[in-house]
Amino acid sequence: MSNAIAHILNNDCPHCLEGKVFKEKNIFFNIGFPKMNTYCSHCQFKFEKEPGYFFGAMYVNYGLTVAQGIATYVIAQFFFKETFDLKIIPIIAVVIVTMASFNIRFSRLLWIYMFKNYSN
């Protein structure tokens, strides 16, 4: 399991673990929509199996965004006197917008790794 997480964070191909899924080398801090390779440069593994394959990755992205929003609220509430101060909302929004690019890439990688063929 820890090896899979390391490969996901390194943007490695789920089939051969050598090629890259995204054209960007760093999946953490990129601006704009991700540019994926159609095939792995090393083993020619096709990343998008069918049209709409990454539709389910949107749900993973949503879960990541909600978890980050809740975690931001829990951490930020210690810096305010009231239980729910409206000043926390812009802080949560900044975190969500800042992490959006990473979440898109990370959720797609998770989706590919969840549904890769483990019988090979």
Side-chain angles (χ1 to χ4, degrees), residues 5-81:
I5 293 171
H7 289 299
I8 289 170
L9 293 175
N10 285 330
N11 186 24
D12 292 336
C13 170
H15 190 256
C16 68
L17 305 175
E18 303 222 4
K20 299 297 180 189
V21 176
F22 290 98
K23 293 181 180 180
E24 301 94 359
K25 294 186 190 233
N26 183 1
I27 68 163
F28 297 107
F29 300 108
N30 287 311
I31 297 173
F33 201 75
K35 294 170 185 72
M36 289 185 65
N37 294 318
T38 307
Y39 295 94
C40 175
S41 60
H42 187 261
C43 69
Q44 300 305 313
F45 178 75
K46 186 174 182 180
F47 296 122
E48 187 171 359
K49 304 289 184 229
E50 59 191 21
Y53 177 71
F54 292 111
F55 186 73
M58 291 189 312
Y59 296 107
V60 176
N61 187 0
Y62 177 74
L64 287 170
T65 303
V66 168
Q68 290 165 353
I70 292 171
T72 304
Y73 170 74
V74 169
I75 292 168
Q77 76 175 354
F78 293 115
F79 298 100
F80 296 95
K81 293 179 184 176

Side-chain angles (χ1 to χ4, degrees), residues 50-114:
E50 59 191 21
Y53 177 71
F54 292 111
F55 186 73
M58 291 189 312
Y59 296 107
V60 176
N61 187 0
Y62 177 74
L64 287 170
T65 303
V66 168
Q68 290 165 353
I70 292 171
T72 304
Y73 170 74
V74 169
I75 292 168
Q77 76 175 354
F78 293 115
F79 298 100
F80 296 95
K81 293 179 184 176
E82 296 180 26
T83 303
F84 186 76
D85 194 347
L86 291 178
K87 295 174 190 168
I88 295 176
I89 293 174
I91 296 170
I92 294 171
V94 167
V95 170
I96 288 173
V97 169
T98 303
M99 296 296 293
S101 180
F102 169 75
N103 286 346
I104 291 171
R105 289 168 176 80
F106 189 67
S107 63
R108 283 189 173 201
L109 284 165
L110 281 174
W111 193 254
I112 290 172
Y113 272 79
M114 281 194 301

